Amino acid sequence: MTKTNDPEITKLNLTDAFKELEQLTAEFESGQVDLEASVVKFKRGLQLAKYLKGELDKIEIEIEQIKDEFKDLEPDSPQV
Amino acid sequence: MADEHIFQVSEFNEFINTYLRQVNEIVVEGEITEVNISQSKWLFITLKDAQSSLNVFAVAYQISAWRDLEPGMKVHVYGTPGLHQKSGKFSFNANRIVPAGEGALRLAFEKLKLRLESEGLFDISRKRALPLFPLRLGLITAADGEAYSDFIKVLRARMGGIKIFFYPVSVQGRDSVSSIIKAFRYFNKLNNIDLLVLTRGGGSLEDLQSFNDEQVVRAIFSSRIPVVSGVGHERDVSLADLAADVRASTPSNAAELISRSRMDVLNQVNYAVSTMDKTLHSLTAAANYRIFRHIDSLKRYVSAPITANQNLLARFRRQLDRASLEHVRLTNNLSFTSKLLIKNTFTWFRNHDQNLLHLTHLLTILDYHQVLRRGYTITSDAQGKIIRSVSSLTLGSPIITTLADGKITSTLQSLSHDQN
């Protein structure tokens, strides 16, 4: 595994990271990658996998109840 | 009776209404006998029970699914009593009319379902895909309900890192529909919610009525954010379920459908890594093999002329060896021959030298001058021809006598022949 995660990868949301990893896997499965490109892609794949595994380790779920006084407000952003 | 107050008609109507307004919203149950709509706006309904009847007035757009109201249907009318100021007719002003009783509810459900279906509210083609990993979701359900705890429990077991914005609503009763609609309105004003979940536990058709309410169904349908509904038990299908993007059978099932299992994702991630790893390995192996083959053919290409040269060199060396042997042999021969030649030459010289000496001696011996010196002479004719016989001579002819130290010319005067 790579030592450090690319900061650009940690900005990805899980869906995008997972989709990109799936796409890379499909490319590898198809055998349509050349050696030089595949080394770069492999490195990217490992970074994505590491990032995803790190995210999967998160276990807590945060719950925020929307308070009655906010219910009738028309928020521009979630001030909940 | 002089003090008796005489009411004007309008005054009287107003007076009565003052009293009637003090009555808060009440619910009246009855069977519809007649439904009329005026100017597409005003609803006039006649309700009755075994003994009495009641005129009900309503503003059409305030009554959800008013189109599905029909004679014979048992309903609950929520409203307040009042007198029509102008006509003085008493009516019950409805805020809400809902089917009452299983049969009526079922009938209303089927009618509304058909109508909304024909409008396309349940079209499969309009269903949106859920995000793979919803991280911020809006939960619309009752506080402290079983649905809430089931949903959270299952979600927590499957995936973490999710933020839930919980909007508590009434899932049944008079405020239920409006609170659910407010929740949808609220979340749809936010711009970072990935998914909405509308859920409640099981119940009778009457309990689930809010989830079959036309306004709620439309709120789901028009939600900008994808909606997952999980209403009731497995066998219950509400209109909310049909309008939602994804229908879950129960609150727990809703949690299962929206969150991928941590283990599944982990497996897929591991599979991805191993697939890439294997492919890369086989690519490397193939590349190695190709390089090896190239080196091999390069070697052969380079070594072919070297081998040819080596062969040539070996052949040359053999020839050289052979030549040098020949040379030695020839040299040996030559030396032998030379020696022989020299030897022979010497012998030859020696022999000839001796011969020469002998011949010299012989010549010396044979030299006619020596003979002449011993007293012999040579007679020749005038031409110098040696006279060997007297018979060739004629008298009187000159003869020349050669002696050792000179010549004598004489004229022949006599001749005689020897007898022998």
PDB file of all heavy atoms in Angstrom, chain B residues 108-138:
ATOM      1  N   ALA B 108     -61.064   4.317  -1.517  1.00  0.00           N
ATOM      2  CA  ALA B 108     -60.390   5.598  -1.776  1.00  0.00           C
ATOM      3  C   ALA B 108     -58.956   5.340  -2.238  1.00  0.00           C
ATOM      4  O   ALA B 108     -58.453   5.990  -3.156  1.00  0.00           O
ATOM      5  CB  ALA B 108     -60.381   6.436  -0.505  1.00  0.00           C
ATOM      6  N   PHE B 109     -58.307   4.380  -1.580  1.00  0.00           N
ATOM      7  CA  PHE B 109     -56.929   4.022  -1.921  1.00  0.00           C
ATOM      8  C   PHE B 109     -56.848   3.603  -3.386  1.00  0.00           C
ATOM      9  O   PHE B 109     -56.017   4.096  -4.149  1.00  0.00           O
ATOM     10  CB  PHE B 109     -56.475   2.882  -0.993  1.00  0.00           C
ATOM     11  CG  PHE B 109     -55.117   2.328  -1.309  1.00  0.00           C
ATOM     12  CD1 PHE B 109     -53.982   2.879  -0.713  1.00  0.00           C
ATOM     13  CD2 PHE B 109     -54.961   1.252  -2.176  1.00  0.00           C
ATOM     14  CE1 PHE B 109     -52.723   2.372  -0.990  1.00  0.00           C
ATOM     15  CE2 PHE B 109     -53.707   0.744  -2.450  1.00  0.00           C
ATOM     16  CZ  PHE B 109     -52.585   1.298  -1.861  1.00  0.00           C
ATOM     17  N   GLU B 110     -57.737   2.712  -3.791  1.00  0.00           N
ATOM     18  CA  GLU B 110     -57.694   2.183  -5.156  1.00  0.00           C
ATOM     19  C   GLU B 110     -57.977   3.276  -6.182  1.00  0.00           C
ATOM     20  O   GLU B 110     -57.332   3.338  -7.238  1.00  0.00           O
ATOM     21  CB  GLU B 110     -58.699   1.037  -5.337  1.00  0.00           C
ATOM     22  CG  GLU B 110     -58.367  -0.237  -4.539  1.00  0.00           C
ATOM     23  CD  GLU B 110     -56.991  -0.812  -4.863  1.00  0.00           C
ATOM     24  OE1 GLU B 110     -56.454  -0.540  -5.965  1.00  0.00           O
ATOM     25  OE2 GLU B 110     -56.424  -1.512  -3.986  1.00  0.00           O
ATOM     26  N   LYS B 111     -58.927   4.128  -5.850  1.00  0.00           N
ATOM     27  CA  LYS B 111     -59.265   5.206  -6.795  1.00  0.00           C
ATOM     28  C   LYS B 111     -58.111   6.192  -6.966  1.00  0.00           C
ATOM     29  O   LYS B 111     -57.739   6.573  -8.084  1.00  0.00           O
ATOM     30  CB  LYS B 111     -60.520   5.960  -6.310  1.00  0.00           C
ATOM     31  CG  LYS B 111     -61.780   5.147  -6.515  1.00  0.00           C
ATOM     32  CD  LYS B 111     -63.006   5.954  -6.211  1.00  0.00           C
ATOM     33  CE  LYS B 111     -63.292   6.905  -7.374  1.00  0.00           C
ATOM     34  NZ  LYS B 111     -64.596   7.582  -7.195  1.00  0.00           N
ATOM     35  N   LEU B 112     -57.539   6.572  -5.818  1.00  0.00           N
ATOM     36  CA  LEU B 112     -56.422   7.521  -5.863  1.00  0.00           C
ATOM     37  C   LEU B 112     -55.226   6.900  -6.582  1.00  0.00           C
ATOM     38  O   LEU B 112     -54.543   7.541  -7.377  1.00  0.00           O
ATOM     39  CB  LEU B 112     -56.031   7.923  -4.429  1.00  0.00           C
ATOM     40  CG  LEU B 112     -54.903   8.950  -4.309  1.00  0.00           C
ATOM     41  CD1 LEU B 112     -55.266  10.251  -5.022  1.00  0.00           C
ATOM     42  CD2 LEU B 112     -54.584   9.251  -2.831  1.00  0.00           C
ATOM     43  N   LYS B 113     -55.021   5.637  -6.286  1.00  0.00           N
ATOM     44  CA  LYS B 113     -53.894   4.927  -6.899  1.00  0.00           C
ATOM     45  C   LYS B 113     -54.017   4.957  -8.424  1.00  0.00           C
ATOM     46  O   LYS B 113     -53.064   5.288  -9.141  1.00  0.00           O
ATOM     47  CB  LYS B 113     -53.868   3.487  -6.397  1.00  0.00           C
ATOM     48  CG  LYS B 113     -52.671   2.692  -6.889  1.00  0.00           C
ATOM     49  CD  LYS B 113     -52.736   1.281  -6.348  1.00  0.00           C
ATOM     50  CE  LYS B 113     -51.752   0.399  -7.092  1.00  0.00           C
ATOM     51  NZ  LYS B 113     -51.950  -1.007  -6.772  1.00  0.00           N
ATOM     52  N   LEU B 114     -55.227   4.643  -8.888  1.00  0.00           N
ATOM     53  CA  LEU B 114     -55.469   4.631 -10.339  1.00  0.00           C
ATOM     54  C   LEU B 114     -55.226   6.007 -10.953  1.00  0.00           C
ATOM     55  O   LEU B 114     -54.589   6.150 -11.998  1.00  0.00           O
ATOM     56  CB  LEU B 114     -56.924   4.230 -10.617  1.00  0.00           C
ATOM     57  CG  LEU B 114     -57.181   2.745 -10.806  1.00  0.00           C
ATOM     58  CD1 LEU B 114     -58.671   2.509 -11.066  1.00  0.00           C
ATOM     59  CD2 LEU B 114     -56.351   2.210 -11.989  1.00  0.00           C
ATOM     60  N   ARG B 115     -55.718   7.018 -10.255  1.00  0.00           N
ATOM     61  CA  ARG B 115     -55.625   8.377 -10.784  1.00  0.00           C
ATOM     62  C   ARG B 115     -54.156   8.838 -10.842  1.00  0.00           C
ATOM     63  O   ARG B 115     -53.694   9.360 -11.856  1.00  0.00           O
ATOM     64  CB  ARG B 115     -56.457   9.330  -9.916  1.00  0.00           C
ATOM     65  CG  ARG B 115     -56.618  10.716 -10.493  1.00  0.00           C
ATOM     66  CD  ARG B 115     -57.871  11.397  -9.958  1.00  0.00           C
ATOM     67  NE  ARG B 115     -57.922  11.444  -8.510  1.00  0.00           N
ATOM     68  CZ  ARG B 115     -57.204  12.308  -7.779  1.00  0.00           C
ATOM     69  NH1 ARG B 115     -56.407  13.170  -8.376  1.00  0.00           N
ATOM     70  NH2 ARG B 115     -57.309  12.305  -6.463  1.00  0.00           N
ATOM     71  N   LEU B 116     -53.454   8.593  -9.738  1.00  0.00           N
ATOM     72  CA  LEU B 116     -52.055   9.033  -9.698  1.00  0.00           C
ATOM     73  C   LEU B 116     -51.193   8.217 -10.664  1.00  0.00           C
ATOM     74  O   LEU B 116     -50.247   8.724 -11.266  1.00  0.00           O
ATOM     75  CB  LEU B 116     -51.493   8.929  -8.273  1.00  0.00           C
ATOM     76  CG  LEU B 116     -52.182   9.828  -7.237  1.00  0.00           C
ATOM     77  CD1 LEU B 116     -51.534   9.659  -5.872  1.00  0.00           C
ATOM     78  CD2 LEU B 116     -52.145  11.288  -7.664  1.00  0.00           C
ATOM     79  N   GLU B 117     -51.577   6.981 -10.798  1.00  0.00           N
ATOM     80  CA  GLU B 117     -50.864   6.109 -11.728  1.00  0.00           C
ATOM     81  C   GLU B 117     -50.994   6.640 -13.154  1.00  0.00           C
ATOM     82  O   GLU B 117     -50.022   6.724 -13.899  1.00  0.00           O
ATOM     83  CB  GLU B 117     -51.454   4.700 -11.643  1.00  0.00           C
ATOM     84  CG  GLU B 117     -50.545   3.621 -12.166  1.00  0.00           C
ATOM     85  CD  GLU B 117     -51.001   2.254 -11.665  1.00  0.00           C
ATOM     86  OE1 GLU B 117     -52.233   2.026 -11.551  1.00  0.00           O
ATOM     87  OE2 GLU B 117     -50.123   1.441 -11.371  1.00  0.00           O
ATOM     88  N   SER B 118     -52.247   7.034 -13.496  1.00  0.00           N
ATOM     89  CA  SER B 118     -52.469   7.548 -14.854  1.00  0.00           C
ATOM     90  C   SER B 118     -51.748   8.878 -15.068  1.00  0.00           C
ATOM     91  O   SER B 118     -51.422   9.250 -16.183  1.00  0.00           O
ATOM     92  CB  SER B 118     -53.974   7.692 -15.125  1.00  0.00           C
ATOM     93  OG  SER B 118     -54.473   8.740 -14.326  1.00  0.00           O
ATOM     94  N   GLU B 119     -51.478   9.574 -13.993  1.00  0.00           N
ATOM     95  CA  GLU B 119     -50.724  10.829 -14.079  1.00  0.00           C
ATOM     96  C   GLU B 119     -49.230  10.577 -14.206  1.00  0.00           C
ATOM     97  O   GLU B 119     -48.453  11.498 -14.468  1.00  0.00           O
ATOM     98  CB  GLU B 119     -50.966  11.673 -12.823  1.00  0.00           C
ATOM     99  CG  GLU B 119     -52.101  12.650 -12.941  1.00  0.00           C
ATOM    100  CD  GLU B 119     -52.122  13.584 -11.737  1.00  0.00           C
ATOM    101  OE1 GLU B 119     -51.105  14.250 -11.478  1.00  0.00           O
ATOM    102  OE2 GLU B 119     -53.161  13.624 -11.049  1.00  0.00           O
ATOM    103  N   GLY B 120     -48.834   9.358 -13.948  1.00  0.00           N
ATOM    104  CA  GLY B 120     -47.414   9.005 -14.108  1.00  0.00           C
ATOM    105  C   GLY B 120     -46.595   9.151 -12.841  1.00  0.00           C
ATOM    106  O   GLY B 120     -45.369   9.128 -12.890  1.00  0.00           O
ATOM    107  N   LEU B 121     -47.268   9.289 -11.703  1.00  0.00           N
ATOM    108  CA  LEU B 121     -46.519   9.477 -10.454  1.00  0.00           C
ATOM    109  C   LEU B 121     -45.755   8.226 -10.010  1.00  0.00           C
ATOM    110  O   LEU B 121     -44.830   8.326  -9.210  1.00  0.00           O
ATOM    111  CB  LEU B 121     -47.455   9.922  -9.325  1.00  0.00           C
ATOM    112  CG  LEU B 121     -47.497  11.430  -9.099  1.00  0.00           C
ATOM    113  CD1 LEU B 121     -48.227  12.119 -10.223  1.00  0.00           C
ATOM    114  CD2 LEU B 121     -48.131  11.766  -7.754  1.00  0.00           C
ATOM    115  N   PHE B 122     -46.169   7.089 -10.548  1.00  0.00           N
ATOM    116  CA  PHE B 122     -45.501   5.860 -10.107  1.00  0.00           C
ATOM    117  C   PHE B 122     -44.602   5.282 -11.206  1.00  0.00           C
ATOM    118  O   PHE B 122     -44.130   4.157 -11.096  1.00  0.00           O
ATOM    119  CB  PHE B 122     -46.535   4.799  -9.701  1.00  0.00           C
ATOM    120  CG  PHE B 122     -47.563   5.300  -8.706  1.00  0.00           C
ATOM    121  CD1 PHE B 122     -48.887   4.879  -8.770  1.00  0.00           C
ATOM    122  CD2 PHE B 122     -47.192   6.195  -7.698  1.00  0.00           C
ATOM    123  CE1 PHE B 122     -49.827   5.335  -7.847  1.00  0.00           C
ATOM    124  CE2 PHE B 122     -48.121   6.658  -6.776  1.00  0.00           C
ATOM    125  CZ  PHE B 122     -49.456   6.231  -6.851  1.00  0.00           C
ATOM    126  N   ASP B 123     -44.395   6.048 -12.257  1.00  0.00           N
ATOM    127  CA  ASP B 123     -43.636   5.520 -13.406  1.00  0.00           C
ATOM    128  C   ASP B 123     -42.235   5.064 -12.994  1.00  0.00           C
ATOM    129  O   ASP B 123     -41.491   5.800 -12.355  1.00  0.00           O
ATOM    130  CB  ASP B 123     -43.485   6.608 -14.481  1.00  0.00           C
ATOM    131  CG  ASP B 123     -44.711   6.677 -15.364  1.00  0.00           C
ATOM    132  OD1 ASP B 123     -45.679   5.917 -15.060  1.00  0.00           O
ATOM    133  OD2 ASP B 123     -44.720   7.468 -16.321  1.00  0.00           O
ATOM    134  N   ILE B 124     -41.946   3.866 -13.414  1.00  0.00           N
ATOM    135  CA  ILE B 124     -40.627   3.297 -13.103  1.00  0.00           C
ATOM    136  C   ILE B 124     -39.531   4.159 -13.746  1.00  0.00           C
ATOM    137  O   ILE B 124     -38.461   4.358 -13.181  1.00  0.00           O
ATOM    138  CB  ILE B 124     -40.522   1.847 -13.671  1.00  0.00           C
ATOM    139  CG1 ILE B 124     -41.606   0.956 -13.056  1.00  0.00           C
ATOM    140  CG2 ILE B 124     -39.148   1.253 -13.429  1.00  0.00           C
ATOM    141  CD1 ILE B 124     -41.454   0.686 -11.587  1.00  0.00           C
ATOM    142  N   SER B 125     -39.841   4.677 -14.955  1.00  0.00           N
ATOM    143  CA  SER B 125     -38.827   5.437 -15.683  1.00  0.00           C
ATOM    144  C   SER B 125     -38.429   6.723 -14.949  1.00  0.00           C
ATOM    145  O   SER B 125     -37.403   7.304 -15.240  1.00  0.00           O
ATOM    146  CB  SER B 125     -39.351   5.783 -17.079  1.00  0.00           C
ATOM    147  OG  SER B 125     -40.509   6.561 -16.939  1.00  0.00           O
ATOM    148  N   ARG B 126     -39.262   7.144 -14.009  1.00  0.00           N
ATOM    149  CA  ARG B 126     -38.945   8.382 -13.280  1.00  0.00           C
ATOM    150  C   ARG B 126     -38.148   8.129 -12.014  1.00  0.00           C
ATOM    151  O   ARG B 126     -37.742   9.066 -11.341  1.00  0.00           O
ATOM    152  CB  ARG B 126     -40.230   9.126 -12.935  1.00  0.00           C
ATOM    153  CG  ARG B 126     -40.987   9.555 -14.197  1.00  0.00           C
ATOM    154  CD  ARG B 126     -41.888  10.703 -13.903  1.00  0.00           C
ATOM    155  NE  ARG B 126     -41.221  11.706 -13.083  1.00  0.00           N
ATOM    156  CZ  ARG B 126     -41.375  13.010 -13.250  1.00  0.00           C
ATOM    157  NH1 ARG B 126     -42.108  13.445 -14.235  1.00  0.00           N
ATOM    158  NH2 ARG B 126     -40.777  13.858 -12.444  1.00  0.00           N
ATOM    159  N   LYS B 127     -37.928   6.869 -11.718  1.00  0.00           N
ATOM    160  CA  LYS B 127     -37.203   6.544 -10.473  1.00  0.00           C
ATOM    161  C   LYS B 127     -35.736   6.917 -10.612  1.00  0.00           C
ATOM    162  O   LYS B 127     -35.103   6.651 -11.633  1.00  0.00           O
ATOM    163  CB  LYS B 127     -37.312   5.044 -10.157  1.00  0.00           C
ATOM    164  CG  LYS B 127     -38.727   4.513 -10.132  1.00  0.00           C
ATOM    165  CD  LYS B 127     -39.498   4.989  -8.928  1.00  0.00           C
ATOM    166  CE  LYS B 127     -40.889   4.372  -8.888  1.00  0.00           C
ATOM    167  NZ  LYS B 127     -41.825   5.177  -8.114  1.00  0.00           N
ATOM    168  N   ARG B 128     -35.222   7.515  -9.565  1.00  0.00           N
ATOM    169  CA  ARG B 128     -33.804   7.907  -9.591  1.00  0.00           C
ATOM    170  C   ARG B 128     -32.970   6.873  -8.848  1.00  0.00           C
ATOM    171  O   ARG B 128     -33.455   6.223  -7.917  1.00  0.00           O
ATOM    172  CB  ARG B 128     -33.628   9.270  -8.930  1.00  0.00           C
ATOM    173  CG  ARG B 128     -34.217  10.388  -9.764  1.00  0.00           C
ATOM    174  CD  ARG B 128     -34.374  11.633  -8.966  1.00  0.00           C
ATOM    175  NE  ARG B 128     -35.412  11.495  -7.955  1.00  0.00           N
ATOM    176  CZ  ARG B 128     -35.915  12.522  -7.287  1.00  0.00           C
ATOM    177  NH1 ARG B 128     -35.458  13.737  -7.500  1.00  0.00           N
ATOM    178  NH2 ARG B 128     -36.859  12.341  -6.394  1.00  0.00           N
ATOM    179  N   ALA B 129     -31.732   6.750  -9.285  1.00  0.00           N
ATOM    180  CA  ALA B 129     -30.829   5.822  -8.601  1.00  0.00           C
ATOM    181  C   ALA B 129     -30.355   6.478  -7.308  1.00  0.00           C
ATOM    182  O   ALA B 129     -30.197   7.692  -7.244  1.00  0.00           O
ATOM    183  CB  ALA B 129     -29.640   5.513  -9.485  1.00  0.00           C
ATOM    184  N   LEU B 130     -30.152   5.670  -6.305  1.00  0.00           N
ATOM    185  CA  LEU B 130     -29.676   6.218  -5.033  1.00  0.00           C
ATOM    186  C   LEU B 130     -28.161   6.384  -5.112  1.00  0.00           C
ATOM    187  O   LEU B 130     -27.493   5.644  -5.818  1.00  0.00           O
ATOM    188  CB  LEU B 130     -30.008   5.245  -3.899  1.00  0.00           C
ATOM    189  CG  LEU B 130     -31.485   4.915  -3.727  1.00  0.00           C
ATOM    190  CD1 LEU B 130     -31.683   4.054  -2.493  1.00  0.00           C
ATOM    191  CD2 LEU B 130     -32.311   6.187  -3.600  1.00  0.00           C
ATOM    192  N   PRO B 131     -27.643   7.370  -4.368  1.00  0.00           N
ATOM    193  CA  PRO B 131     -26.182   7.481  -4.331  1.00  0.00           C
ATOM    194  C   PRO B 131     -25.590   6.216  -3.688  1.00  0.00           C
ATOM    195  O   PRO B 131     -26.224   5.619  -2.823  1.00  0.00           O
ATOM    196  CB  PRO B 131     -25.934   8.709  -3.452  1.00  0.00           C
ATOM    197  CG  PRO B 131     -27.212   8.964  -2.736  1.00  0.00           C
ATOM    198  CD  PRO B 131     -28.308   8.390  -3.561  1.00  0.00           C
ATOM    199  N   LEU B 132     -24.397   5.822  -4.172  1.00  0.00           N
ATOM    200  CA  LEU B 132     -23.777   4.609  -3.632  1.00  0.00           C
ATOM    201  C   LEU B 132     -23.516   4.730  -2.132  1.00  0.00           C
ATOM    202  O   LEU B 132     -23.721   3.793  -1.384  1.00  0.00           O
ATOM    203  CB  LEU B 132     -22.432   4.375  -4.326  1.00  0.00           C
ATOM    204  CG  LEU B 132     -22.453   3.725  -5.690  1.00  0.00           C
ATOM    205  CD1 LEU B 132     -21.033   3.608  -6.213  1.00  0.00           C
ATOM    206  CD2 LEU B 132     -23.098   2.362  -5.614  1.00  0.00           C
ATOM    207  N   PHE B 133     -23.025   5.893  -1.757  1.00  0.00           N
ATOM    208  CA  PHE B 133     -22.729   6.105  -0.341  1.00  0.00           C
ATOM    209  C   PHE B 133     -23.371   7.419   0.110  1.00  0.00           C
ATOM    210  O   PHE B 133     -22.729   8.453   0.076  1.00  0.00           O
ATOM    211  CB  PHE B 133     -21.219   6.200  -0.112  1.00  0.00           C
ATOM    212  CG  PHE B 133     -20.474   4.964  -0.494  1.00  0.00           C
ATOM    213  CD1 PHE B 133     -19.927   4.831  -1.755  1.00  0.00           C
ATOM    214  CD2 PHE B 133     -20.317   3.939   0.413  1.00  0.00           C
ATOM    215  CE1 PHE B 133     -19.234   3.693  -2.105  1.00  0.00           C
ATOM    216  CE2 PHE B 133     -19.620   2.796   0.067  1.00  0.00           C
ATOM    217  CZ  PHE B 133     -19.081   2.672  -1.199  1.00  0.00           C
ATOM    218  N   PRO B 134     -24.641   7.367   0.525  1.00  0.00           N
ATOM    219  CA  PRO B 134     -25.244   8.615   0.998  1.00  0.00           C
ATOM    220  C   PRO B 134     -24.626   8.981   2.351  1.00  0.00           C
ATOM    221  O   PRO B 134     -24.586   8.147   3.258  1.00  0.00           O
ATOM    222  CB  PRO B 134     -26.721   8.260   1.142  1.00  0.00           C
ATOM    223  CG  PRO B 134     -26.767   6.789   1.264  1.00  0.00           C
ATOM    224  CD  PRO B 134     -25.538   6.217   0.652  1.00  0.00           C
ATOM    225  N   LEU B 135     -24.084  10.172   2.433  1.00  0.00           N
ATOM    226  CA  LEU B 135     -23.402  10.555   3.666  1.00  0.00           C
ATOM    227  C   LEU B 135     -24.242  11.486   4.525  1.00  0.00           C
ATOM    228  O   LEU B 135     -24.043  11.576   5.715  1.00  0.00           O
ATOM    229  CB  LEU B 135     -22.060  11.210   3.333  1.00  0.00           C
ATOM    230  CG  LEU B 135     -21.055  10.271   2.667  1.00  0.00           C
ATOM    231  CD1 LEU B 135     -19.745  10.991   2.423  1.00  0.00           C
ATOM    232  CD2 LEU B 135     -20.818   9.032   3.521  1.00  0.00           C
ATOM    233  N   ARG B 136     -25.152  12.192   3.885  1.00  0.00           N
ATOM    234  CA  ARG B 136     -26.018  13.105   4.646  1.00  0.00           C
ATOM    235  C   ARG B 136     -27.447  12.784   4.257  1.00  0.00           C
ATOM    236  O   ARG B 136     -27.829  12.980   3.108  1.00  0.00           O
ATOM    237  CB  ARG B 136     -25.673  14.551   4.301  1.00  0.00           C
ATOM    238  CG  ARG B 136     -24.267  14.952   4.721  1.00  0.00           C
ATOM    239  CD  ARG B 136     -23.867  16.255   4.087  1.00  0.00           C
ATOM    240  NE  ARG B 136     -24.635  17.373   4.623  1.00  0.00           N
ATOM    241  CZ  ARG B 136     -24.294  18.051   5.729  1.00  0.00           C
ATOM    242  NH1 ARG B 136     -23.198  17.747   6.376  1.00  0.00           N
ATOM    243  NH2 ARG B 136     -25.031  19.033   6.157  1.00  0.00           N
ATOM    244  N   LEU B 137     -28.183  12.241   5.202  1.00  0.00           N
ATOM    245  CA  LEU B 137     -29.551  11.903   4.817  1.00  0.00           C
ATOM    246  C   LEU B 137     -30.576  12.486   5.759  1.00  0.00           C
ATOM    247  O   LEU B 137     -30.331  12.669   6.959  1.00  0.00           O
ATOM    248  CB  LEU B 137     -29.715  10.400   4.641  1.00  0.00           C
ATOM    249  CG  LEU B 137     -29.442   9.421   5.748  1.00  0.00           C
ATOM    250  CD1 LEU B 137     -30.715   9.147   6.493  1.00  0.00           C
ATOM    251  CD2 LEU B 137     -28.925   8.138   5.135  1.00  0.00           C
ATOM    252  N   GLY B 138     -31.719  12.783   5.185  1.00  0.00           N
ATOM    253  CA  GLY B 138     -32.826  13.337   5.949  1.00  0.00           C
ATOM    254  C   GLY B 138     -33.766  12.205   6.316  1.00  0.00           C
ATOM    255  O   GLY B 138     -34.228  11.469   5.456  1.00  0.00           O
TER     256      GLY B 138
END
